[in-house]
């Protein structure tokens, strides 16, 4: 009997670390797993297969997902991190990511990392699609968290007290957000330079910054990769973590490290922290609290962790994701190419909260949400797709013409007679440009 296939959609660099635990588990689970680029997915994935998306933010994923669904091929959105307010609601006007990603989810099912995320996605209108799995790549840390004695402080008791200062993959999604992050990091740096000891202990900062923030504020950076390998090692060597909103918050909490949220944007947080630095005046008391430790705040942090990340004693996130995949493959197999209908709560964790999400009021500035008439919306989308296809064809034609122009120019440039003339002309033009620039400077 032919084994069914599961495809993780994306480049290997994008999805390999997400897929790794499932690839290992798939060997004994009755299906094969492969990574495929979005552009190739439509031709590679067929009836009886399943497509797993790690992102629905960009058009290359969204269009692939919609095309596969139109062919009754099951799709699963595997969320691998936290929801973040800035990324969800405060992007640049020219941001290439879809501004209403997950509102609603496109895929047939969505694998959430925990109960709080599931409640939020339910409030966004995704109730019947939601399954709670956890994060497979964090299974090792989750197992360690279960084994640690809650009455034991795992932090080092020797000097110095090491605090990891880090930023998420994106320090901000607008220029103002990036500037706020820069200011926050600079304030932290200046504070520790002025107060190298807190509570009788020397404080040492370990920096793990993204997008050139280390060069911007002038610190040595410990970042070596964004796939989590180096972060896991760094976390084992520190006593506390101060971070911008990031899934790394959960990783640090799993190691029972006190976590402070560094966030100068005054935004709501889908995952709160027991300590929070919202402005310069809060740095000193937060750092003092991190060094001193506080059982009450750590209890709150553990409660946040349990609500944010599914930590199930009887199974792992990989086990639950594999169970969900096998259940979806079974439904697809029984449907035999006909329209797919997946039951709610396939993993046995029904949600009782279903919010009301009004796209017309929340996205009042977007004309596409002005109507709720399905036929009109379908007509608008069909027309939009025709315009997009036409623009893509025009871009392809222009790129082809540009490539041909380059080819002709290269032939002329290499010609034994025309080549020297062209090169001489270019030298004259370059000289004239430099001359005009000097004249403009003198005026």
């Amino acid at each position: 009997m032919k084994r069914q296939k599961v495809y993780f959609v994306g480049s290997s660099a994008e999805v390999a670390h997400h897929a790794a635990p499932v690839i290992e588990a798939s060997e004994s689970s009755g299906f094969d797993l492969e990574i495929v680029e979005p552009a190739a997915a439509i031709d590679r994935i067929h009836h009886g297969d399943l497509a797993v998306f790690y992102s629905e933010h960009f058009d290359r994923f969204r269009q692939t997902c919609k095309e596969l669904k139109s062919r009754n091929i099951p799709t699963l959105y595997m969320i691998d991190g936290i929801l973040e307010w800035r990324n969800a609601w405060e992007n640049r006007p020219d941001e290439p990511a879809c501004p209403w990603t997950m509102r609603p989810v496109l895929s047939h099912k969505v694998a959430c990392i925990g109960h709080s995320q599931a409640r939020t996605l339910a409030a966004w209108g995704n109730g019947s699609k939601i399954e709670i799995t956890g994060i497979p790549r964090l299974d090792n840390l989750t197992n360690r968290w279960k084994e640690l004695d809650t009455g034991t402080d795992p932090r080092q008791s020797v000097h110095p007290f090491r605090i990891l200062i880090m930023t998420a993959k994106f320090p901000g999604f607008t220029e103002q957000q990036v500037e706020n992050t820069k200011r926050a990091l600079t304030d932290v740096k200046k504070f520790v330079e002025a107060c190298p000891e807190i509570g009788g202990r020397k404080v040492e900062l370990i920096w793990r910054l993204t997008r050139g923030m280390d060069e911007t504020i002038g610190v040595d950076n410990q970042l070596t990769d964004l796939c989590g390998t180096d972060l896991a090692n760094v976390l084992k060597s520190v006593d506390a973590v101060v971070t911008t909103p990031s899934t790394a918050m959960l990783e640090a909490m799993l190691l029972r490290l006190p976590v402070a949220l560094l966030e100068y944007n005054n935004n709501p947080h889908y995952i709160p922290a027991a300590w929070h630095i919202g402005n310069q005046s809060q740095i000193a008391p937060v750092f003092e609290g991190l060094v001193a430790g506080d059982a009450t705040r750590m209890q709150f942090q553990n409660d946040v962790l349990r609500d944010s990340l599914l930590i199930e004693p009887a199974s792992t996130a990989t086990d639950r994701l594999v169970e969900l995949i096998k259940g979806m493959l079974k439904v697809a197999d029984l449907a035999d190419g006909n329209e797919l209908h997946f039951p709610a709560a396939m993993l046995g964790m029904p949600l009782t909260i279903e919010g009301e999400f009004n796209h017309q009021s929340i996205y009042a500035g977007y004309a596409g949400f002005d109507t709720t008439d399905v036929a009109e919306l379908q007509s608008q989308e069909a027309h939009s797709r025709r315009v997009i296809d036409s623009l893509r064809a025009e871009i392809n034609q222009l790129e082809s013409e540009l490539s041909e122009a380059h080819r002709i120019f290269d032939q002329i440039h290499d010609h034994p007679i025309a080549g020297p003339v062209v090169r001489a002309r270019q030298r004259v033009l370059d000289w004239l440009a430099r001359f005009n620039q000097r004249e403009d400077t003198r005026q």
Side-chain angles (χ1 to χ4, degrees), residues 18-39:
H18 302 306
V22 189
I23 290 175
E24 184 176 344
S26 68
E27 295 178 1
S28 59
S29 298
F31 59 83
D32 295 321
L33 194 147
E34 187 176 329
I35 295 172
V36 61
E37 294 273 2

Side-chain angles (χ1 to χ4, degrees), residues 262-281:
L262 181 66
E263 217 273 327
Y264 274 21
N265 294 289
N266 193 30
N267 288 328
H269 301 115
Y270 289 111
I271 296 183
W275 290 268
H276 179 230
I277 301 173
N279 56 61
Q280 186 181 33
S281 67

Side-chain angles (χ1 to χ4, degrees), residues 210-231:
T210 53
R211 301 280 167 165
M213 276 289 171
D214 54 320
E215 297 178 0
T216 300
I217 68 169
V219 296
D220 293 330
N221 202 7
Q222 296 287 327
L223 177 66
T224 58
D225 76 67
L226 289 172
C227 295
T229 304
D230 75 311
L231 175 59

Side-chain angles (χ1 to χ4, degrees), residues 380-407:
Q380 289 176 356
E381 186 195 16
H383 177 67
S384 297
R385 295 259 55 92
R386 289 185 69 236
V387 172
I388 291 171
D389 291 342
S390 175
L391 290 173
R392 283 176 175 163
E394 185 176 342
I395 290 171
N396 290 337
Q397 178 63 30
L398 290 172
E399 288 179 342
S400 175
E401 292 175 2
L402 181 61
S403 177
E404 178 65 14
H406 279 302
R407 187 186 66 80

Side-chain angles (χ1 to χ4, degrees), residues 409 413 421-439:
F409 181 80
H413 194 271
V421 175
V422 171
R423 290 191 290 273
R425 177 179 179 275
Q426 187 60 51
R427 285 195 294 273
V428 171
L429 291 175
D430 291 343
W431 180 86
L432 286 172
R434 291 194 298 271
F435 177 80
N436 291 332
Q437 186 176 17
R438 287 197 298 270
E439 289 298 306

Side-chain angles (χ1 to χ4, degrees), residues 293-366:
D294 184 325
T296 304
R297 287 182 183 253
M298 288 302 294
Q299 178 62 53
F300 174 78
Q301 178 173 292
N302 285 334
D303 292 341
V304 167
L305 177 62
R306 290 189 186 92
D307 193 38
S308 304
L309 180 68
L310 185 61
I311 305 174
E312 182 66 37
S315 62
T316 67
T318 301
D319 292 337
R320 288 187 293 276
L321 187 62
V322 168
E323 182 184 348
L324 176 59
I325 288 172
K326 291 170 70 175
M328 294 184 69
L329 286 171
K330 183 177 180 180
V331 170
D333 189 44
L334 293 174
D336 193 26
N338 296 316
E339 187 175 356
L340 295 170
H341 297 284
F342 293 97
M346 293 176 67
L347 296 181
M349 292 186 180
L351 288 172
T352 57
I353 299 174
E354 181 72 36
E356 294 182 3
F357 193 85
N358 190 320
H359 286 81
Q360 287 177 295
S361 61
I362 292 175
Y363 298 116
Y366 294 91

Side-chain angles (χ1 to χ4, degrees), residues 16 37 40 44 65 183 194 197 200 204 208 216 247 270 299 318 323 343-344 373 400 408 415 420 422:
E37 294 273 2
R44 293 280 296 280
C65 181
R183 183 159 51 88
E197 285 196 12
E204 178 182 339
R208 189 180 185 275
T216 300
T247 307
Y270 289 111
Q299 178 62 53
T318 301
E323 182 184 348
D373 184 284
S400 175
I408 294 172
H415 193 277
V422 171

